[in-house]
């Protein structure tokens, strides 16, 4: 691909540059040429400036795909997606693709994260109030949401991913993001009512608990299978809770991991 980000190449360049804080032995160079990829410690030192340029490129593409909400674009520019994926996948972190995050789950494509965030915000001028996310996964979308809302509650049913998200998010110190371990099918009543609810896993229908926990005037965005499109296909569904009742809109087809019951 012609447009492939210059991320890995620039990364190598940065890492290879002598730095005052490292002994100028050429050690970093030899590690690089053997492994083809800098070790994680070196990566996190060298990646700063360069990854922001690659992220900016990603944001331009998102804008080109029709994302217009300035807060969403700013959040996508700010949160470093490469910190949420396995080091072996770092050079794909800013491509518009979902990537494995372990335990059979995936981090959503930036295009889908920003699309859902924009739908969720529904043109709000400032930050949303309280938001509930079902399916923390690696924590990337939760981090994005934390910049778009006053409080974010994110729930994950797999202990391994809940722990991984905590680890991934530690450096960001997002005081308004609350990670919960549990079955998100039941929502999280203690944080209700929510201005917005977003699901990162798709079920046959939207659990009633989510609709119940939505504030009046609130919006829910979720991938849903049954009845939405042809059998077995998922589509994004938007549910608005209005004084006149529940309004449901079915949007484009999507591919999310399944919403499952219980914890593991
Ligand atoms: N937003 C995540 C996407 C993770 S994939 C990210 O940015 O990485 C969806 C996640 O939903 C998976 O981790 C899966 O384990 C989780 N999930 C599925 N059913 C769930 C449920 N009932 N409660 C909580 N999490 C659930």
């Amino acid at each position: 691909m012609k447009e492939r980000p210059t991320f890995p190449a620039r990364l190598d360049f940065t890492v290879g540059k002598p730095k005052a804080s490292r002994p100028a032995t050429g050690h970093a160079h030899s590690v690089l040429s053997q492994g083809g990829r800098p070790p994680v410690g070196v990566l996190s030192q060298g990646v700063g400036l360069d990854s922001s340029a690659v992220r900016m490129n990603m944001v331009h593409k998102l804008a080109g795909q029709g994302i217009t909400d300035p807060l969403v674009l700013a959040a996508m520019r700010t949160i470093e997606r490469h910190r949420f994926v396995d080091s072996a996948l770092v050079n794909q972190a800013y491509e518009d693709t979902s990537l494995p995050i372990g335990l059979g789950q995936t981090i959503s494509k930036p295009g889908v994260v920003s699309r859902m965030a924009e739908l969720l915000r529904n043109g709000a001028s400032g930050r949303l109030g309280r938001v509930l996310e079902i399916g923390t996964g690696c924590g990337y979308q939760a981090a994005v949401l934390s910049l778009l809302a006053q409080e974010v509650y994110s729930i994950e049913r797999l202990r391994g991913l809940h722990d991984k998200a905590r680890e991934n998010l530690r450096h960001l110190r997002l005081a308004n993001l609350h990670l919960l371990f549990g079955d998100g099918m039941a929502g999280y009543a203690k944080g209700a009512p929510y201005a917005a609810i977003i699901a990162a896993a798709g079920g046959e229908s939207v659990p009633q608990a989510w609709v119940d926990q939505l504030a009046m005037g609130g919006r829910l965005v979720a991938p849903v299978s049954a009845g939405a499109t042809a059998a077995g296909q998922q589509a994004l569904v938007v549910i608005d809770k209005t004084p006149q009742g529940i309004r449901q809109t079915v949007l484009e087809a999507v591919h999310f991991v399944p919403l499952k019951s219980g914890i593991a």
Side-chain angles (χ1 to χ4, degrees):
M1 269 196 296
K2 273 199 299 294
E3 288 189 351
R4 203 174 166 80
T6 50
F7 181 35
R10 285 172 175 238
L11 196 67
D12 292 357
F13 174 69
T14 309
V15 170
K17 261 184 158 175
K19 280 209 179 79
S21 58
R22 306 193 140 261
T25 57
H27 174 69
H29 258 126
S30 60
V31 172
L32 267 184
S33 54
Q34 280 164 27
R37 192 182 301 285
V40 174
V42 175
L43 186 68
S44 52
Q45 275 186 21
V47 82
L49 273 177
D50 304 299
S51 85
S52 84
V54 184
R55 228 167 10 262
M56 190 59 111
N57 187 30
M58 175 188 82
V59 168
H60 280 310
K61 287 185 188 160
L62 295 175
Q65 287 166 25
I67 303 296
T68 57
D69 188 316
L71 248 61
V72 171
L73 292 171
M76 299 300 290
R77 199 166 53 231
T78 304
I79 302 298
E80 300 178 319
R81 193 170 184 258
H82 70 269
R83 287 184 183 265
F84 293 83
V85 299
D86 199 86
S87 55
L89 299 171
V90 156
N91 59 3
Q92 293 174 62
Y94 296 105
E95 292 175 14
D96 197 17
T97 176
S98 56
L99 295 168
I101 53 173
L103 302 178
Q105 309 303 315
T106 52
I107 180 175
S108 309
K109 291 157 70 146
V112 170
V113 171
S114 52
R115 165 78 168 139
M116 289 177 83
E118 180 160 276
L119 285 168
L120 207 64
R121 285 181 40 71
N122 196 15
S125 51
R127 287 189 179 211
L128 291 167
R130 278 197 304 278
V131 171
L132 174 67
E133 177 190 44
I134 293 97
T136 313
C138 67
Y140 172 71
Q141 180 170 270
V144 170
L145 292 171
S146 80
L147 302 182
L148 305 176
Q150 274 153 23
E151 298 289 332
V152 177
Y153 295 84
S154 180
I155 187 160
E156 171 58 53
R157 64 176 290 275
L158 297 177
R159 170 69 76 180
L161 287 176
H162 169 74
D163 290 344
K164 187 182 234 180
R166 191 170 294 289
E167 188 62 34
N168 288 343
L169 288 160
R170 183 163 297 145
H171 76 281
L172 286 171
R173 293 192 194 87
L174 300 166
N176 66 338
L177 173 55
H178 314 285
L179 299 183
L180 308 157
F181 172 60
D183 183 356
M185 287 278 217
Y188 182 64
K190 283 187 191 155
Y194 297 101
I197 299 181
I198 181 168
E204 296 288 296
S205 61
V206 172
Q208 185 59 40
W210 299 359
V211 180
D212 293 345
Q213 290 172 23
L214 203 57
M216 186 54 72
R219 176 171 267 204
L220 187 159
V221 181
V224 179
S225 309
T229 56
Q233 276 228 345
Q234 275 181 348
L236 272 189
V237 168
V238 172
I239 291 179
D240 288 305
K241 197 174 204 172
T242 76
Q244 290 75 42
I246 299 298
R247 197 174 54 227
Q248 178 170 315
T249 316
V250 179
L251 300 171
E252 68 268 22
V254 282
H255 303 279
F256 278 83
V257 295
L259 182 71
K260 292 189 177 169
S261 308
I263 51 171

